[in-house]
Amino acid sequence: MADVARRAGTSTAVVSYVMNDGPRPVAVATRERVLAAAADLRYRPNRIARALRARRTGVAGLILADASNPYFAALAREIERALADRDTLTLVGNAGHSPARQKRLAERFLAAQVDGLVVVSAEGGADVAAEAEAHGTRAVHVHHRPRTAHGPLVPADNAAAVRAAVDHLRGHGHERIDFLSGPTDAGPVGVRRRAWARATPGTLLRCTYSRADAADLTERLAATDTLPSALVVATDEQAIGVLAGACRAGVAVPGRLAVVSLDGAPDTAYTAPALTVTAQPLTAMADRAVDQLLTGEADDTPLTAPLITRATCGCPDRPRSGSPR
Amino acid sequence: MADVARRAGTSTAVVSYVMNDGPRPVAVATRERVLAAAADLRYRPNRIARALRARRTGVAGLILADASNPYFAALAREIERALADRDTLTLVGNAGHSPARQKRLAERFLAAQVDGLVVVSAEGGADVAAEAEAHGTRAVHVHHRPRTAHGPLVPADNAAAVRAAVDHLRGHGHERIDFLSGPTDAGPVGVRRRAWARATPGTLLRCTYSRADAADLTERLAATDTLPSALVVATDEQAIGVLAGACRAGVAVPGRLAVVSLDGAPDTAYTAPALTVTAQPLTAMADRAVDQLLTGEADDTPLTAPLITRATCGCPDRPRSGSPR
DNA sequence: CTGAAAGCGCTTACAG
DNA sequence: CTGAAAGCGCTTACAG
């Protein structure tokens, strides 16, 4: 920067003003000279130095419970996109469902002076929001905020989504509809489970949030002839497992078993058969989370997750002509 | 830091030495006082200041062609893990297959003074490696390096993988085996396509790297009765689309159409039916890429991608008992 | 083993 | 409209 200033016959202050288009005006002739000098010297501003002085890095931290889960992965992509739209870089880390790892990530990101932290489906036990607050940094939760944590949350309207799913299956003639939940009733899955219990009779099933477990469970139910005619599944990860298990057991979907999944990430459009889902509005959730992070304005009205009918509910699978995801 | 030094009755130099365990020794008593003072004041070192002075940020940049692709997403996860294992944070960005966006990301990451850049399946046209070199920063390509780019590449043995896939399908009695390639023969897909052409007779099929296109193509082939009995598919993304298209068209897999995919990311274990694949060794690739990035030592011997037989090739789908992914 | 001080590359009051 | 200079929070020669 000093070199550029020297070559342009001016001061580093002026160089800064032209590189940043402000905050003070620069005479056209001076600006030209600076730009020419910068180009000649291939000058690239050092964002680290800028960050140290300006106390803003232009970097946000994104903490993921588990990017192997296609729903979280899709959400992560949208958040990275939303951040990039606002000229902010994304530091990512997978906590792998471990509170300890989650806490370590938060500490490291905070030490790296991120401008904010977005936490997708935080674990209980490690209060990232509190760490951030102690650091004077904003944090926002997406999808799920542990009961111990404070700070804003960007939620979807999970109860309404479940009601839509149940109503739709009922329209296909199912009177009892089972529900596949996670191992506990924490977070949005609990909301979904309770909304299902209020909406329809049926059996509560549980397994971990993994394809493997959901597939095994489905095979086991098929083997013991205890499969329901219709099943609402708490997460995409499990729904994909259910389809895999049904396929291995020779169970026809949707003929023998109708399925609706409640995350509805884009990947679900290309399962076999194509999953009917309630689709969480990932783009809107990401934009809202990032806006809240950058402006500090809170808005926790739930976002609508519309029903998307595809093949697994029993609707005819409409041929799609080259439709993008 | 000055506060800590004052409270411990020493200098900032000593505080630095104890926070970093070096490079100079500190008397035990002094160290204790510093640690106590740091704890009392909840002192957290500022990595940005450290980075400015030490000319190392402890951050690497990861540029992805497209995280929607499950293979790239899985590779990204492994790279983030490998970097974290070496105490390095990960800045990510999706280029969305656009050379312009890829270049912009590289510039931004370089401006953020990353210690290195890893590029997964770079686009031609934007020479990230050259940008990095001009900046005095290391870059390594994973999976694919455009012909215009220099620098190290971490490749899998794609030709051997294709031969294994073809041999296996031949063992199931297929004499002609078609190949679904991408729109062009760039990169590893070209290697795969040529290895297939050398190994077996069959028809060359092409479509974009999207589930939608692969599904549509499969439906179209089914409608015109031009489906092969066996198909090797260049990428997971397309293979998932083929399965979706087959399901929509009522084509039995593997009975009427046997399929093997050549990426073999973990997601392929839970398609319906489960995909037989050659599995790129993602963990080994990520570790090697990160080692090369951090040490500068190159090693471009191809990594083996073993055949994993599941259901789509015609092998019996073995029941798995709760096996993790 | 320790301290005083320079300096990393910027931004931004302060002064003109 | 512009310049000289302080200072962001560290690390690391330099000197003892």
Side-chain angles (χ1 to χ4, degrees), chain A:
Chain A
M1 194 173 191
D3 293 345
V4 173
R6 204 169 305 121
R7 180 177 253 259
T10 183
S11 68
T12 59
V14 169
V15 175
S16 171
Y17 301 144
V18 353
M19 298 314 290
N20 298 315
D21 263 328
R24 292 202 314 203
V26 175
V28 190
T30 315
R31 135 171 281 111
E32 304 280 80
R33 287 203 320 277
V34 168
L35 256 14
D40 289 353
L41 300 174
R42 298 193 201 315
Y43 168 67
R44 306 279 179 180
N46 179 326
R47 306 279 299 190
I48 291 292
R50 175 186 226 285
L52 180 60
R53 177 59 223 238
R55 323 187 81 65
R56 258 191 100 262
T57 50
V59 175
L62 173 58
I63 298 180
L64 260 26
D66 174 18
S68 305
N69 183 314
Y71 167 68
F72 294 147
L75 201 39
R77 238 153 45 223
E78 284 295 331
I79 290 168
E80 189 267 319
R81 193 261 322 143
L83 251 6
D85 283 353
R86 290 153 186 84
D87 228 74
T88 301
L89 300 179
T90 305
L91 226 28
V92 273
N94 281 283
H97 291 290
S98 146
R101 282 184 52 81
Q102 179 183 298
K103 188 167 178 217
R104 238 180 64 102
L105 277 172
E107 282 167 356
R108 284 199 150 32
F109 287 173
L110 259 5
Q113 311 298 121
V114 290
D115 294 338
L117 232 31
V118 5
V119 189
V120 172
S121 200
E123 303 299 315
D127 192 344
V128 169
E131 298 253 357
E133 196 177 355
H135 203 277
T137 302
R138 247 170 337 228
V140 0
H141 291 267
V142 183
H143 179 71
H144 171 47
R145 175 185 52 204
R147 24 182 84 261
T148 52
H150 317 94
L153 166 69
V154 177
D157 192 342
N158 288 294
V162 170
R163 285 193 298 271
V166 166
D167 284 351
H168 185 75
L169 286 169
R170 211 180 264 133
H172 279 293
H174 303 281
E175 280 166 16
R176 288 181 56 91
I177 298 168
D178 287 5
F179 186 82
L180 176 52
S181 182
T184 71
D185 274 350
V189 168
V191 173
R192 294 171 186 182
R193 209 267 300 152
R194 289 186 291 274
W196 159 80
R198 258 177 266 118
T200 176
T203 305
L204 175 63
L205 270 16
R206 290 191 187 275
C207 74
T208 68
Y209 299 118
S210 75
R211 300 176 190 208
D213 268 12
D216 290 344
L217 172 62
T218 305
E219 277 194 291
R220 210 156 51 236
L221 294 175
T224 56
D225 205 31
T226 48
L227 226 37
S229 73
L231 181 65
V232 172
V233 185
T235 68
D236 285 348
E237 188 76 359
Q238 291 165 299
I240 291 168
V242 166
L243 260 25
C247 177
R248 292 204 302 247
V251 168
V253 175
R256 170 64 188 86
L257 172 68
V259 179
V260 177
S261 177
L262 296 175
D263 287 335
D267 292 37
T268 57
Y270 291 94
T271 53
L275 272 165
T276 289
V277 299
T278 56
Q280 304 256 325
L282 303 181
T283 302
M285 289 168 77
D287 282 321
R288 179 131 115 203
V290 170
D291 280 339
Q292 294 199 1
L293 198 70
L294 269 24
T295 68
E297 292 160 20
D299 170 5
D300 59 0
T301 55
L303 264 2
T304 302
L307 180 77
I308 299 183
T309 57
R310 292 195 283 242
T312 57
C313 56
C315 285
D317 197 9
R318 296 151 309 186
R320 257 154 290 153
S321 50
S323 58
R325 317 227 330 224

Side-chain angles (χ1 to χ4, degrees), chain B residues 135-266:
Chain B
H135 203 277
T137 302
R138 238 151 8 210
V140 1
H141 289 267
V142 183
H143 180 70
H144 171 46
R145 175 184 52 205
R147 24 182 84 259
T148 52
H150 317 93
L153 167 70
V154 178
D157 192 342
N158 288 294
V162 170
R163 286 193 297 270
V166 166
D167 284 351
H168 185 75
L169 285 169
R170 210 180 262 133
H172 279 293
H174 302 282
E175 281 167 14
R176 288 181 56 90
I177 298 168
D178 287 4
F179 186 83
L180 176 52
S181 182
T184 70
D185 274 351
V189 168
V191 174
R192 295 170 185 182
R193 209 267 300 153
R194 289 186 290 274
W196 158 80
R198 258 178 265 119
T200 176
T203 304
L204 175 63
L205 271 17
R206 290 191 187 275
C207 75
T208 68
Y209 298 118
S210 76
R211 299 175 190 209
D213 268 12
D216 290 344
L217 172 63
T218 305
E219 278 193 291
R220 210 156 50 235
L221 294 174
T224 55
D225 205 31
T226 48
L227 226 36
S229 73
L231 180 64
V232 173
V233 184
T235 69
D236 285 349
E237 188 75 358
Q238 291 165 299
I240 291 167
V242 166
L243 259 27
C247 177
R248 292 207 303 247
V251 169
V253 175
R256 170 63 187 88
L257 172 69
V259 178
V260 177
S261 178
L262 297 176
D263 286 333

